Amino acid sequence: MEILLSALSQGAIWTIMGMGVFVTFRVLNEADLTTESSFTLGAAVGAQLLVLGLDPLLALVIAFLIGASAGAVTALLITRAHINSLLAGIITMTGLYSVNLVFLGQANLSLNGVRTLKSALAGLGLPRNMDTLLIGVVVILIVYLVLGTFFRTDMGQALIATGDNPVMANALGIPSAEMTMLGYMLGNGLIALSGYLVATDNGYADLSMGVGSLVIGLAAIIIGEVVVKHVSLGVRLLTIFIGSVIYRLLLAVVLMLNINTDNFKLISAIVLGLCLSIPTLQQYASRKRSIHNRVAAAPSQDMRDSIGGSTAVTAGAESSSVQTGNGEGAGK
């Protein structure tokens, strides 16, 4: 039970990361490498603000805004400097390393004795991990309602259209550059928000905590898509939570097997690769079944054709016999 509760609580705060990655990866159809640095950026800025005594909720909002600004830089490189999106993400990610170090002041910033969202709930007497789960679920519901409402607006539909086909979006009068900017800002803002929540849950912010975060976000999205198929966009956002929890359960199984924790990143990459391969494997298995069914049906068809041919030959022979008999009768 404790393992499940831990997976639920960790999956909840990492779901926000998955939602941010979803905006850039699924809506804009871009793999944004800014993710790994904007995640750390939200953690670093939020942690430093908490150390300075700022209200945890206000620090949360500022972490979102600072993450959105990082996404804006990447979007500017793409839309104005016309740099490849992959390279633009790498450039921003590289620059943010120094920015994150400046905010942290050191490689690791502890939050011991600092008022955070978790410490604010300490008076409720919640069981272990339940406070993290409560914070994560509340933030998920707020983000879900905001994104669900936004994607039903004209601007949200314009953002989706830009991701589907930028050329057609421009032809329809949609400012694709501005929509790209909006998508990157929204996605990286949510990612930074997740970084802030993870830092407060861990009790520290670390310079390298964003390494592999993109893989975790993608794993949550892909696993959710594999488990729950053919749903609306709103429901798809919620399936990210399912994928995130399953991913955490898989990591818990790895711990139970006493596998070296240094191999977590490798295992994460393998899990993601397998999940990404599932649709292709399903199509391959479907084609194999289809071919097998056709091959199995072929003898039956040949037999029917053979029977039909034999019947036709017999009928032809009988017809010839009748005609011959009629001819002989006429001769007599």
Side-chain angles (χ1 to χ4, degrees):
M1 184 63 184
E2 185 177 349
I3 294 176
L4 178 59
L5 184 58
S6 175
L8 287 170
S9 60
Q10 290 297 310
I13 57 178
W14 281 93
T15 296
I16 312 302
M17 149 71 73
M19 288 180 169
V21 175
F22 181 85
V23 173
T24 54
F25 182 67
R26 283 302 188 213
V27 177
L28 287 180
N29 291 319
E30 297 286 357
D32 180 22
L33 293 182
T34 315
T35 297
E36 303 208 347
S37 286
S38 58
F39 181 84
T40 307
L41 180 64
V45 172
Q48 193 61 257
L49 292 175
L50 292 175
V51 170
L52 294 175
L54 197 67
D55 181 79
L57 288 177
L58 183 57
L60 183 147
V61 174
I62 294 176
F64 173 84
L65 295 176
I66 200 74
S69 66
V73 172
T74 303
L76 283 173
L77 292 175
I78 295 171
T79 59
R80 302 306 179 191
H82 302 290
I83 298 175
N84 178 272
S85 59
L86 187 63
L87 294 176
I90 293 173
I91 292 171
T92 307
M93 178 180 65
T94 303
L96 283 178
Y97 182 88
S98 296
V99 175
N100 292 335
L101 186 58
V102 169
F103 277 115
L104 287 173
Q106 52 192 341
N108 186 288
L109 180 62
S110 175
L111 294 176
N112 287 334
V114 177
R115 183 171 179 267
T116 64
L117 291 174
K118 286 189 67 173
S119 64
L121 297 177
L124 299 178
L126 297 173
R128 182 184 177 187
N129 293 320
M130 188 60 73
D131 49 357
T132 302
L133 178 60
L134 178 60
I135 293 170
V137 169
V138 170
V139 177
I140 287 173
L141 290 177
I142 293 173
V143 172
Y144 169 74
L145 291 174
V146 171
L147 287 182
T149 303
F150 170 72
F151 283 126
R152 284 193 294 268
T153 64
D154 291 342
M155 184 177 292
Q157 291 297 310
L159 178 60
I160 294 173
T162 300
D164 287 340
N165 193 329
V167 177
M168 182 61 70
N170 279 324
L172 293 174
I174 297 173
S176 59
E178 284 74 7
M179 290 298 104
T180 301
M181 172 78 72
L182 176 62
Y184 272 84
M185 290 179 66
L186 181 59
N188 282 278
L190 292 175
I191 292 166
L193 174 58
S194 177
Y196 169 78
L197 293 176
V198 172
T200 55
D201 181 63
N202 292 341
Y204 64 90
D206 188 84
L207 188 61
S208 61
M209 66 186 299
V211 176
S213 57
L214 178 58
V215 172
I216 297 174
L218 290 174
I221 295 171
I222 301 303
I223 293 174
E225 290 176 347
V226 170
V227 173
V228 184
K229 303 177 181 178
H230 311 302
V231 294
S232 63
L233 178 59
V235 178
R236 177 59 63 207
L237 291 171
L238 291 179
T239 62
I240 297 174
F241 175 65
I242 298 175
S244 183
V245 171
I246 293 175
Y247 178 78
R248 288 292 152 183
L249 287 173
L250 291 175
L251 293 184
V253 171
V254 171
L255 285 174
M256 293 173 63
L257 295 176
N258 294 322
I259 297 176
N260 192 338
T261 54
D262 292 339
N263 298 324
F264 264 16
K265 299 300 182 184
L266 174 61
I267 294 170
S268 300
I270 293 173
V271 169
L272 178 60
L274 290 175
C275 292
L276 286 171
S277 302
I278 286 176
T280 303
L281 294 175
Q282 289 176 336
Q283 292 176 4
Y284 176 76
S286 178
R287 287 197 301 268
K288 292 287 288 185
R289 285 195 301 268
S290 178
I291 294 172
H292 176 75
N293 292 336
R294 287 200 299 268
V295 171
S300 301
Q301 183 64 39
D302 293 342
M303 186 176 294
R304 287 195 296 269
D305 293 343
S306 176
I307 293 173
S310 300
T311 304
V313 170
T314 303
E318 292 177 352
S319 176
S320 299
S321 176
V322 171
Q323 290 177 0
T324 303
N326 291 339
E328 291 177 353
K332 291 178 181 180

